[in-house]
Amino acid sequence: MESTFKSYRVKEYNQPVERYCRTLDLRDNPALIAEYRRRHDQTNIWPEILAGIREVGILEMEIYISGSRLFMIVETPLDFNWNEAMERLAALPRQQEWEDYMAVFQSTEPGSTSAEKWQPMERMFHLYDK
């Protein structure tokens, strides 16, 4: 029986990386969720936002959705400092404008930065070799 779920290839790096996992809830409104998805289509995301993500040192970022729950995976070099990078990101041109543009869909406080919106998740299980 074939699965209806899609798998996603993981990028390979020539260096060890760290992974950050964060979550954010959207307002539980199908029309708002559809518009949020549309705004995150590769043709609709502002180029300054994509450039800023790379500029602060993020190697890879993925956002997954289930209902109104978002799950973000971020991969970075080992020497990456999350707090410093998020401070730099918040100060980049158009970043807060983008956050405000997205806030209408999110269950967050108006004026919140990306770091304030996306809450860290704790890894509670890891399949590993002993």
Side-chain angles (χ1 to χ4, degrees):
M1 179 176 208
E2 190 173 319
S3 172
T4 60
F5 297 103
K6 183 174 175 155
S7 64
Y8 303 92
R9 187 174 190 94
V10 176
K11 187 172 181 181
E12 293 182 30
Y13 302 97
N14 293 327
Q15 63 184 3
V17 298
E18 288 186 312
R19 177 176 293 151
Y20 295 85
C21 299
R22 314 219 25 121
T23 189
L24 182 148
D25 290 325
L26 298 175
R27 298 178 194 277
D28 193 8
N29 176 313
L32 289 178
I33 292 170
E35 177 61 15
Y36 189 81
R37 291 175 77 116
R38 188 191 71 74
R39 289 185 186 188
H40 278 81
D41 181 274
Q42 289 295 328
T43 60
N44 293 320
I45 295 179
W46 302 347
E48 301 92 340
I49 301 308
L50 297 175
I53 290 168
R54 296 277 186 215
E55 185 178 321
V56 301
I58 292 172
L59 300 171
E60 188 71 34
M61 177 184 285
E62 299 175 304
I63 300 175
Y64 295 83
I65 187 167
S66 179
S68 61
R69 168 75 39 102
L70 299 177
F71 175 62
M72 179 171 64
I73 301 170
V74 175
E75 292 179 345
T76 69
L78 293 181
D79 62 352
F80 185 83
N81 181 304
W82 182 269
N83 292 334
E84 288 177 10
M86 292 302 105
E87 285 179 23
R88 285 182 47 219
L89 185 65
L92 291 176
R94 300 202 75 194
Q95 183 64 39
Q96 191 57 49
E97 184 183 353
W98 174 262
E99 297 302 337
D100 295 342
Y101 183 58
M102 293 296 114
V104 68
F105 309 103
Q106 303 165 336
S107 295
T108 60
E109 294 295 318
S112 296
T113 64
S114 182
E116 293 165 333
K117 293 177 181 186
W118 288 92
Q119 297 302 302
M121 298 183 80
E122 176 186 356
R123 180 167 69 185
M124 55 167 265
F125 173 80
H126 180 215
L127 178 65
Y128 60 93
D129 294 330
K130 289 188 177 196

